[in-house]
mmCIF file of all heavy atoms in Angstrom:
data_model
loop_
_atom_site.group_PDB
_atom_site.id
_atom_site.type_symbol
_atom_site.label_atom_id
_atom_site.label_comp_id
_atom_site.label_asym_id
_atom_site.label_seq_id
_atom_site.Cartn_x
_atom_site.Cartn_y
_atom_site.Cartn_z
ATOM 1 N N GLY A 43 80.439 92.042 125.039
ATOM 2 C CA GLY A 43 80.198 93.479 125.121
ATOM 3 C C GLY A 43 79.336 94.046 124.012
ATOM 4 O O GLY A 43 79.070 95.241 123.983
ATOM 5 N N ILE A 44 78.853 93.222 123.093
ATOM 6 C CA ILE A 44 78.083 93.722 121.948
ATOM 7 C C ILE A 44 76.722 94.281 122.369
ATOM 8 O O ILE A 44 76.185 95.163 121.719
ATOM 9 C CB ILE A 44 77.911 92.628 120.856
ATOM 10 C CG1 ILE A 44 77.428 93.223 119.536
ATOM 11 C CG2 ILE A 44 76.949 91.554 121.285
ATOM 12 C CD1 ILE A 44 78.521 93.707 118.671
ATOM 13 N N LEU A 45 76.154 93.773 123.454
ATOM 14 C CA LEU A 45 74.882 94.275 123.987
ATOM 15 C C LEU A 45 75.095 94.738 125.429
ATOM 16 O O LEU A 45 74.731 94.036 126.370
ATOM 17 C CB LEU A 45 73.794 93.195 123.932
ATOM 18 C CG LEU A 45 73.340 92.745 122.558
ATOM 19 C CD1 LEU A 45 72.369 91.566 122.672
ATOM 20 C CD2 LEU A 45 72.692 93.882 121.791
ATOM 21 N N PRO A 46 75.678 95.925 125.612
ATOM 22 C CA PRO A 46 75.967 96.402 126.972
ATOM 23 C C PRO A 46 74.723 96.976 127.655
ATOM 24 O O PRO A 46 74.654 98.159 127.976
ATOM 25 C CB PRO A 46 77.025 97.482 126.731
ATOM 26 C CG PRO A 46 76.663 98.034 125.393
ATOM 27 C CD PRO A 46 76.138 96.865 124.604
ATOM 28 N N HIS A 72 75.327 103.712 124.488
ATOM 29 C CA HIS A 72 76.693 103.269 124.764
ATOM 30 C C HIS A 72 77.597 103.751 123.639
ATOM 31 O O HIS A 72 77.222 103.674 122.465
ATOM 32 C CB HIS A 72 76.749 101.741 124.861
ATOM 33 C CG HIS A 72 78.096 101.212 125.210
ATOM 34 N ND1 HIS A 72 78.563 101.193 126.496
ATOM 35 C CD2 HIS A 72 79.077 100.705 124.432
ATOM 36 C CE1 HIS A 72 79.788 100.681 126.492
ATOM 37 N NE2 HIS A 72 80.123 100.383 125.243
ATOM 38 N N PHE A 73 78.772 104.239 124.002
ATOM 39 C CA PHE A 73 79.748 104.666 123.012
ATOM 40 C C PHE A 73 80.830 103.604 122.918
ATOM 41 O O PHE A 73 81.491 103.287 123.909
ATOM 42 C CB PHE A 73 80.368 106.016 123.402
ATOM 43 C CG PHE A 73 81.334 106.531 122.370
ATOM 44 C CD1 PHE A 73 80.878 107.086 121.189
ATOM 45 C CD2 PHE A 73 82.701 106.438 122.575
ATOM 46 C CE1 PHE A 73 81.772 107.542 120.223
ATOM 47 C CE2 PHE A 73 83.603 106.893 121.625
ATOM 48 C CZ PHE A 73 83.127 107.452 120.448
ATOM 49 N N PHE A 74 80.985 103.032 121.727
ATOM 50 C CA PHE A 74 82.027 102.037 121.489
ATOM 51 C C PHE A 74 83.265 102.772 120.989
ATOM 52 O O PHE A 74 83.295 103.248 119.846
ATOM 53 C CB PHE A 74 81.572 100.996 120.455
ATOM 54 C CG PHE A 74 80.530 100.044 120.971
ATOM 55 C CD1 PHE A 74 79.191 100.260 120.703
ATOM 56 C CD2 PHE A 74 80.895 98.951 121.731
ATOM 57 C CE1 PHE A 74 78.229 99.385 121.180
ATOM 58 C CE2 PHE A 74 79.943 98.067 122.217
ATOM 59 C CZ PHE A 74 78.598 98.289 121.942
ATOM 60 N N GLU A 75 84.266 102.872 121.852
ATOM 61 C CA GLU A 75 85.491 103.601 121.503
ATOM 62 C C GLU A 75 86.202 102.982 120.303
ATOM 63 O O GLU A 75 86.720 103.687 119.451
ATOM 64 C CB GLU A 75 86.436 103.655 122.703
ATOM 65 C CG GLU A 75 85.925 104.545 123.810
ATOM 66 C CD GLU A 75 86.871 104.612 124.995
ATOM 67 O OE1 GLU A 75 88.088 104.364 124.814
ATOM 68 O OE2 GLU A 75 86.395 104.916 126.097
ATOM 69 N N GLY A 76 86.229 101.646 120.233
ATOM 70 C CA GLY A 76 86.945 100.953 119.169
ATOM 71 C C GLY A 76 86.393 101.195 117.775
ATOM 72 O O GLY A 76 87.068 100.956 116.780
ATOM 73 N N THR A 77 85.146 101.673 117.693
ATOM 74 C CA THR A 77 84.526 101.951 116.393
ATOM 75 C C THR A 77 84.123 103.412 116.257
ATOM 76 O O THR A 77 83.628 103.823 115.212
ATOM 77 C CB THR A 77 83.261 101.089 116.185
ATOM 78 O OG1 THR A 77 82.294 101.444 117.179
ATOM 79 C CG2 THR A 77 83.578 99.613 116.257
ATOM 80 N N ASN A 78 84.302 104.166 117.354
ATOM 81 C CA ASN A 78 83.907 105.581 117.398
ATOM 82 C C ASN A 78 82.419 105.718 117.041
ATOM 83 O O ASN A 78 82.025 106.560 116.248
ATOM 84 C CB ASN A 78 84.781 106.415 116.456
ATOM 85 C CG ASN A 78 84.678 107.885 116.784
ATOM 86 O OD1 ASN A 78 84.452 108.278 117.926
ATOM 87 N ND2 ASN A 78 84.824 108.716 115.761
ATOM 88 N N THR A 79 81.600 104.842 117.649
ATOM 89 C CA THR A 79 80.185 104.768 117.318
ATOM 90 C C THR A 79 79.314 104.869 118.566
ATOM 91 O O THR A 79 79.568 104.180 119.555
ATOM 92 C CB THR A 79 79.867 103.428 116.609
ATOM 93 O OG1 THR A 79 80.763 103.264 115.512
ATOM 94 C CG2 THR A 79 78.448 103.372 116.110
ATOM 95 N N GLN A 80 78.274 105.683 118.502
ATOM 96 C CA GLN A 80 77.269 105.793 119.552
ATOM 97 C C GLN A 80 76.112 104.866 119.185
ATOM 98 O O GLN A 80 75.628 104.889 118.041
ATOM 99 C CB GLN A 80 76.764 107.240 119.650
ATOM 100 C CG GLN A 80 75.824 107.497 120.787
ATOM 101 C CD GLN A 80 76.539 107.599 122.128
ATOM 102 O OE1 GLN A 80 77.746 107.826 122.199
ATOM 103 N NE2 GLN A 80 75.801 107.418 123.199
ATOM 104 N N VAL A 81 75.665 104.036 120.144
ATOM 105 C CA VAL A 81 74.576 103.091 119.898
ATOM 106 C C VAL A 81 73.502 103.296 120.963
ATOM 107 O O VAL A 81 73.803 103.483 122.134
ATOM 108 C CB VAL A 81 75.081 101.620 119.922
ATOM 109 C CG1 VAL A 81 73.938 100.647 119.672
ATOM 110 C CG2 VAL A 81 76.178 101.421 118.882
ATOM 111 N N TYR A 83 70.070 101.676 122.720
ATOM 112 C CA TYR A 83 69.323 100.442 122.960
ATOM 113 C C TYR A 83 67.982 100.824 123.578
ATOM 114 O O TYR A 83 67.937 101.481 124.615
ATOM 115 C CB TYR A 83 70.091 99.520 123.912
ATOM 116 C CG TYR A 83 71.441 99.114 123.360
ATOM 117 C CD1 TYR A 83 72.587 99.853 123.643
ATOM 118 C CD2 TYR A 83 71.561 98.006 122.541
ATOM 119 C CE1 TYR A 83 73.820 99.492 123.124
ATOM 120 C CE2 TYR A 83 72.796 97.635 122.020
ATOM 121 C CZ TYR A 83 73.912 98.385 122.316
ATOM 122 O OH TYR A 83 75.132 98.020 121.795
ATOM 123 N N ALA A 143 86.598 95.284 119.206
ATOM 124 C CA ALA A 143 85.952 96.550 119.552
ATOM 125 C C ALA A 143 84.710 96.345 120.424
ATOM 126 O O ALA A 143 84.234 97.284 121.061
ATOM 127 C CB ALA A 143 85.569 97.310 118.287
ATOM 128 N N PHE A 144 84.202 95.111 120.497
ATOM 129 C CA PHE A 144 82.977 94.827 121.242
ATOM 130 C C PHE A 144 83.185 93.826 122.382
ATOM 131 O O PHE A 144 82.226 93.372 122.984
ATOM 132 C CB PHE A 144 81.902 94.303 120.278
ATOM 133 C CG PHE A 144 81.653 95.243 119.142
ATOM 134 C CD1 PHE A 144 82.266 95.039 117.921
ATOM 135 C CD2 PHE A 144 80.849 96.355 119.311
ATOM 136 C CE1 PHE A 144 82.066 95.919 116.871
ATOM 137 C CE2 PHE A 144 80.648 97.246 118.277
ATOM 138 C CZ PHE A 144 81.260 97.028 117.050
ATOM 139 N N MET A 145 84.434 93.506 122.651
ATOM 140 C CA MET A 145 84.739 92.552 123.723
ATOM 141 C C MET A 145 84.593 93.203 125.093
ATOM 142 O O MET A 145 84.880 94.389 125.255
ATOM 143 C CB MET A 145 86.162 92.023 123.580
ATOM 144 C CG MET A 145 86.356 91.074 122.461
ATOM 145 S SD MET A 145 88.095 90.513 122.441
ATOM 146 C CE MET A 145 87.983 89.197 121.253
#
Side-chain angles (χ1 to χ4, degrees):
I44 194 87
L45 294 174
H72 183 80
F73 183 76
F74 288 98
E75 290 181 24
T77 63
N78 197 30
T79 308
Q80 186 77 19
V81 180
Y83 299 92
F144 305 97
M145 287 181 170

